[in-house]
Amino acid sequence: MKRQARRALVAGNWKMNGLKGSRREVSALARRLGAAAFNPKCDVMVCPPATLVTLLRESAKGSRVKIGAQDCHWNPTGAHTGDVSAEMLKDAGAVSVIVGHSERRSDHGETDGMVNAKAQAAYRAGLGAIICVGETEAERKAGRTLRVIGGQLKGSLPENADARNTVIAYEPVWAIGTGLTPTTDDVAEVHKYIRKRVAALLSDETASKMRILYGGSVKPANADELMAIDNVDGALVGGASLKAADFLGIIAAYL
Ligand code: PEP
């Protein structure tokens, strides 16, 4: 496949999966990904629920698999029942955290401003931030995709974001968990636009180095095609990251 200018990242978002009943399967998957011989030519990250960060960190020891998390509060400590801070995730063994996933934006009413504050919290704690943006089906049908994503980037991307502390994930909301994917031309158009917006908001140099992942129904069967698109620097994978064979099949796009 065509090589991109930036080292790719394939990150798995386990969402709220990994319950007691499937714990054996979860740790088997972690062990398989974490095997010392596992040495892909891209960065690999798994973002489990917060309760599994430490277990996965242990299982992945000695391998190149990094452990991330799925969300954080913007404050370091305090009276925020049910929340987890970036500092706590760092302490548990995470190196990065997803912020602004569309399920957080829709389930919890998270705004661009909150996503921005969460990304800054990640930097404060020494974590990287994977900042998600993406349009809904109605927005795409109305021809508003680029405008929506431009607005999300402006609001969600902190001024001190750079290519070391931040990865952007383009995830069309209508493609998440549906089996649908945009055409390769549509993905190319959005990724090119994101890089242009990052250049305008931060700098040309930062934009040229920042990784922009595609997410939304990535699977082994479409990974080669999607990962070969210009300005696509890897994938954020939901459902297919829960089965070792599927996740490894996606990573294989970079072997
Ligand atoms: C996601 O939720 O980040 C995602 C991309 O999900 P899926 O791969 O299942 O579409």
Side-chain angles (χ1 to χ4, degrees), residues 13 15 101 103 171 175-177 215-218 236-239:
N13 170 15
K15 311 195 185 195
H101 190 281
E103 287 153 14
E171 298 209 304
I176 295 178
S217 297
V218 179
L236 182 54
V237 184

Side-chain angles (χ1 to χ4, degrees), residues 40-117:
K41 294 192 179 61
C42 60
D43 293 336
V44 175
M45 189 182 293
V46 175
C47 302
T51 52
L52 291 174
V53 165
T54 303
L55 173 75
L56 262 74
R57 168 88 194 279
E58 290 303 309
S59 308
K61 240 184 201 145
S63 81
R64 299 191 169 222
V65 177
K66 302 267 188 289
I67 306 304
Q70 298 175 17
D71 180 52
C72 64
H73 197 276
W74 48 83
N75 282 336
T77 56
H80 304 289
T81 304
D83 278 314
V84 178
S85 72
E87 281 78 0
M88 289 167 174
L89 296 171
K90 166 99 177 168
D91 193 42
V95 297
S96 196
V97 60
I98 298 169
V99 293
H101 190 281
S102 71
E103 287 153 14
R104 298 290 316 174
R105 290 178 186 262
S106 64
D107 292 359
H108 299 272
E110 291 190 4
T111 62
D112 292 332
M114 292 174 184
V115 176
N116 189 310

